[in-house]
Structures are given as structure tokens and as C-alpha cells.
């Protein structure tokens, strides 16, 4: 009976999986907070990078990954979606890494090796692999080996990109919801129910978490949550690009899929590339933290946490809408347009900061 309903009304299942994931997180977060209080599992205040003045648990990501896993396992059994198994395995491995880092800390080499393992599982076993870049960077169809290596690098980059924007209350969660909902709606429009399920399950889990993470935060997602959001977003982006590949046999539902994927993920992509570039130009390690992220700069202008999230998400949403509306212009033009929007946004921010300092 469930399969009959799925075939006739898949949108109801998308709503149901969102509500299920949301409910699991809402119910489980208070227990995680209680356990953290009981056993002293808190984020140690890093006064150089963070401004919270009390100990707050970093274990909120456990609720996100647990909720996502349960929701996907229930719904994947209905549609017999085997690729979900590899995604869940990858999430479990990555969440174990994140949990250890959140509680005890993990050295960089261990984190990097395990991220490679997770990306390898997704690419070679789950078939989350790019075969073409549609001429972006002058690259068309890629040989399986090069496509696999590029996909692994992309997954690792997005893993860490979401982790880097998790600097103020609600930001990583807010952008995570926007990203997953955008992919979920696009996949639903394409009739790709399995991937829509994945996206809506993640959106529901993050929405439940955001109730407790909105300023002032009662809990943080930690590396566990941020890495999982980055991993799933990367997997969805790869599948979105591949399913809209233009060939003689396949007419895509969306043109310029790589540009649309970039627009959806523009906040973590732009912020990470920007801070990495600045750190390298200054002769510092690109992985050494600082307070030079976009959200820190908005904070220096006097923006409150909630308005930083709203303004950043608004910029992200406007970029997505513009890219989809102009999708027939092609990837090259659209990516140049996206880069231009980012440069304008960053320039206005820099000028505002200079004007503020000059007072």
C-alpha cells in the first residue's frame, strides 16, 4: 500500500520524511543536553574565535545524524534504494570521527585520512561520482579515474567548508536547511524521489536542531553535524549534476546544473576559498583558524547573530533564484555571474568595515 501511495503522491512522502526527521531531533536534543550537563561534555571556550560565555555541548550533531539515518533507513526500504546504504555507512564513519573530535579532539592527519575513506566509499561504491564538468574550467567529459579523484576532492572540500561556516549560532544550520531544501525541491521537480527523500530528511533534521541552536544557542552541532551536512550536500550536488547531464539520450530537467549546484552551495564555497586564499597570501597555514570569515566580518559591523544568518541566507537564496532563472545562459556565464556577485558582496562588506574603522 505504501508503494502505491508513493507512486501516486511522492510529495506526501517528502513532507512525511521531513516531519519524521524533525520530530526525532526535537525529542532527542533535550536528552543530549542533559547528558552533556551530567558528564561535563562541553565545548571549551576559545575566546579568540568564539564569543559564547558559558559551556555549551557540541554534541547536537549526534541528533542530526541519528535522525537522518533512521529516516532514510525507513523510507529506503520502501523504494529499495541501495545507494542509501553507502551514504549511511559514510555518515556513520564520519560522525564517529566528528564525535571524537568534539569530545577529545583529533589530529589533522587522522581527520584527513578518514575523510578520504568516506569519500572513497561514496565515489566507488555508492556511484556518487562526476563524469563531466560541462566545460567548466575547460573540462568536459572526464575519464573514470580523474572523475573519481575530482569527486573525492570535492566531497572533502565541502565537508570542511560547512565546518568552517559553523562560527555563530544558527548559521551552519540555516545554510544547511536552505541547501537541502533547494536540492529537495529540485529533485522532486525532476521526479528523482530517492534523492528528494535524502534532501528532505536532512532538512527536517537540521530544522529540529535549529530550534535549539538559534541565538542564544543551547547546543552546537559540532564537527559531527557540520561534517555530515557537508558530506550529504556534496553527494546531492554530484547527483544533481549527473542527473542533468546533457547527452543525446538524456534531456536535462535543468540546464547549467554545475552552475546551479555552485549557487546552492555558494556560501560555504565562497567563504572557504576566500579565507584559504587570504591565509596562504599571508604565509599562514590555510587550516589555522581566525576571525576573518564572512560571519565574523558582519559581526564586526554590529550585526546580531540572527541577522547575520538571515542576510547570508538571503544572499544565498537570491543567487540560487538568479542562476535558475538564467540557466539557459550556460555554465561559463553563470559561474562568472556568481563570482561577480560574491566580489560585489565582499567589496561592499570591506568598504563598510573600512568606513566603520575610519570613524
Amino acid at each position: 500500500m505504501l508503494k502505491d501511495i508513493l507512486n501516486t503522491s511522492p510529495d506526501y512522502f517528502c513532507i512525511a520524511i521531513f516531519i519524521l526527521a524533525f520530530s526525532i531531533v526535537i525529542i532527542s536534543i533535550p536528552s543530549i543536553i542533559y547528558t552533556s550537563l551530567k558528564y561535563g561534555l562541553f565545548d571549551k571556550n576559545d575566546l579568540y574565535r568564539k564569543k559564547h560565555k558559558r559551556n555549551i555541548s557540541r554534541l547536537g550533531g549526534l541528533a542530526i545524524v541519528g535522525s537522518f539515518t533512521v529516516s532514510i533507513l525507513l523510507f529506503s526500504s520502501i523504494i529499495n534504494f541501495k545507494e542509501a546504504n553507502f551514504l549511511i555507512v559514510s555518515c556513520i564513519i564520519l560522525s564517529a570521527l566528528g564525535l571524537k573530535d568534539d569530545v577529545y579532539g583529533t589530529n589533522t592527519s587522522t581527520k584527513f585520512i578518514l575523510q578520504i575513506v568516506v569519500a572513497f566509499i561514496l565515489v566507488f561504491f555508492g556511484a556518487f561520482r562526476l563524469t563531466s564538468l560541462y566545460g567548466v574550467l575547460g573540462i568536459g567529459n572526464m575519464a573514470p579515474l580523474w572523475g573519481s579523484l575530482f569527486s573525492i576532492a570535492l566531497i572533502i572540500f565541502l565537508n570542511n567548508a560547512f565546518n568552517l561556516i559553523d562560527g555563530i549560532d544558527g548559521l551552519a544550520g540555516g545554510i544547511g536547511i536552505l541547501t537541502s531544501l533547494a536540492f529537495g525541491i529540485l529533485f522532486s521537480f525532476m521526479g528523482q524521489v530517492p534523492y528528494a527523500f535524502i534532501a528532505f530528511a536532512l532538512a527536517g533534521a537540521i530544522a529540529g536542531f535549529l530550534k535549539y541552536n538559534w541565538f542564544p544557542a543551547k547546543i552546537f552541532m559540532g564537527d559531527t553535524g557540520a561534517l555530515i551536512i557537508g558530506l550529504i550536500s556534496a553527494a546531492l550536488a554530484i547527483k544533481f549534476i549527473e542527473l542533468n547531464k546533457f547527452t543525446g539520450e538524456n534531456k536535462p530537467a535543468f540546464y547549467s546544473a554545475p552552475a546551479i549546484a555552485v549557487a546552492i552551495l555558494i556560501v560555504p564555497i565562497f567563504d572557504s576559498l576566500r579565507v584559504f586564499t587570504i591565509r596562504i597570501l599571508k604565509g599562514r597555514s590555510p587550516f589555522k583558524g581566525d576571525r576573518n570569515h564572512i560571519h565574523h566580518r558582519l559581526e564586526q559591523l554590529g550585526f546580531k547573530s540572527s541577522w547575520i544568518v538571515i542576510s547570508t541566507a538571503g544572499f544565498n537564496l537570491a543567487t540560487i533564484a538568479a542562476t535558475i532563472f538564467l540557466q539557459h545562459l550556460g555554465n561559463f556565464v553563470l559561474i562568472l555571474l556568481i563570482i561577480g556577485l560574491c566580489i560585489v558582496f565582499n567589496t561592499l562588506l570591506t568598504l563598510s568595515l573600512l568606513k566603520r574603522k575610519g570613524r
Side-chain angles (χ1 to χ4, degrees):
M1 184 181 77
L2 289 175
K3 288 185 178 180
D4 292 336
I5 297 174
L6 176 62
N7 291 329
T8 56
S9 304
D11 292 343
Y12 290 129
F13 272 81
C14 291
I15 296 171
I17 199 170
F18 180 95
I19 293 173
L20 174 63
F22 176 86
S23 302
I24 292 173
V25 173
I26 287 290
I27 293 169
S28 60
I29 287 287
S31 297
I32 293 174
I33 294 175
Y34 172 80
T35 303
S36 299
L37 286 169
K38 184 175 181 180
Y39 294 102
L41 303 175
F42 298 113
D43 175 25
K44 304 303 180 184
N45 289 352
D46 179 355
L47 297 179
Y48 177 61
R49 296 175 57 204
K50 300 175 182 178
K51 291 199 171 184
H52 57 279
K53 298 179 180 179
R54 57 194 174 89
N55 286 324
I56 300 177
S57 172
R58 287 172 54 89
L59 303 183
L62 286 176
I64 294 175
V65 69
S67 171
F68 175 80
T69 300
V70 170
S71 302
I72 291 300
L73 283 174
L74 285 174
F75 282 84
S76 64
S77 63
I78 300 173
I79 58 177
N80 193 27
F81 182 48
K82 293 182 179 179
E83 286 182 25
N85 297 332
F86 301 109
L87 183 59
I88 289 172
V89 168
S90 298
C91 287
I92 291 172
I93 295 172
L94 201 59
S95 63
L97 168 65
L99 178 61
K100 183 179 183 299
D101 194 40
D102 290 333
V103 178
Y104 299 110
T106 306
N107 62 62
T108 303
S109 58
T110 301
K111 292 172 70 173
F112 186 63
I113 290 170
L114 283 178
Q115 286 183 32
I116 292 175
V117 170
V118 165
F120 184 91
I121 291 171
L122 276 182
V123 170
F124 288 97
F125 292 95
F128 289 90
R129 179 175 63 249
L130 289 172
T131 59
S132 175
L133 286 186
Y134 299 83
V136 177
L137 302 176
I139 302 172
N141 290 331
M142 295 182 287
L145 176 61
W146 294 115
S148 298
L149 292 175
F150 182 84
S151 300
I152 289 173
L154 177 63
I155 291 169
I156 294 172
F157 171 74
L158 287 173
N159 267 348
N160 293 286
F162 267 95
N163 204 10
L164 288 173
I165 66 169
D166 186 26
I168 62 168
D169 298 347
L171 181 58
I175 298 301
I177 289 177
L178 178 60
T179 296
S180 51
L181 282 178
F183 279 124
I185 292 169
L186 295 179
F187 279 124
S188 295
F189 182 84
M190 293 163 58
Q192 294 291 337
V193 176
Y195 302 110
F197 279 3
I198 291 172
F200 280 105
L202 179 62
I206 301 173
F209 167 78
L210 201 59
K211 178 183 184 298
Y212 299 94
N213 185 241
W214 197 256
F215 181 82
K218 299 179 180 66
I219 193 169
F220 298 142
M221 67 171 63
D223 280 14
T224 308
L227 291 174
I228 291 301
I229 294 173
L231 179 75
I232 299 169
S233 298
L236 292 172
I238 288 171
K239 278 299 178 182
F240 177 75
I241 293 171
E242 281 299 294
L243 290 171
N244 285 288
K245 186 176 181 180
F246 186 81
T247 65
E249 300 175 355
N250 178 52
K251 184 178 180 182
F254 294 95
Y255 293 91
S256 307
I260 294 174
V262 168
I264 293 172
L265 296 165
I266 190 57
V267 171
I269 289 174
F270 173 60
D271 187 54
S272 299
L273 291 177
R274 179 186 164 276
V275 295
F276 283 166
T277 301
I278 291 173
R279 290 169 188 173
I280 291 170
L281 290 175
K282 290 183 176 180
R284 297 169 46 203
S285 168
F287 304 106
K288 183 178 176 63
D290 55 30
R291 292 186 58 82
N292 194 32
H293 292 277
I294 292 173
H295 52 271
H296 291 135
R297 304 182 83 205
L298 287 169
E299 199 172 41
Q300 292 168 24
L301 285 174
F303 281 66
K304 300 297 183 182
S305 294
S306 55
W307 282 106
I308 292 174
V309 176
I310 291 170
S311 60
T312 307
F315 171 75
N316 199 164
L317 185 60
T319 306
I320 295 170
T323 307
I324 293 176
F325 181 74
L326 301 171
Q327 60 182 283
H328 290 284
L329 292 179
N331 288 300
F332 180 76
V333 173
L334 287 173
I335 290 178
L336 284 180
L337 175 63
I338 293 169
I339 294 172
L341 289 173
C342 291
I343 292 173
V344 170
F345 179 81
N346 187 63
T347 300
L348 291 174
L349 193 53
T350 301
L351 292 174
S352 298
L353 283 169
L354 290 173
K355 183 177 180 182
R356 187 180 181 88
K357 290 179 181 178
R359 288 179 179 176

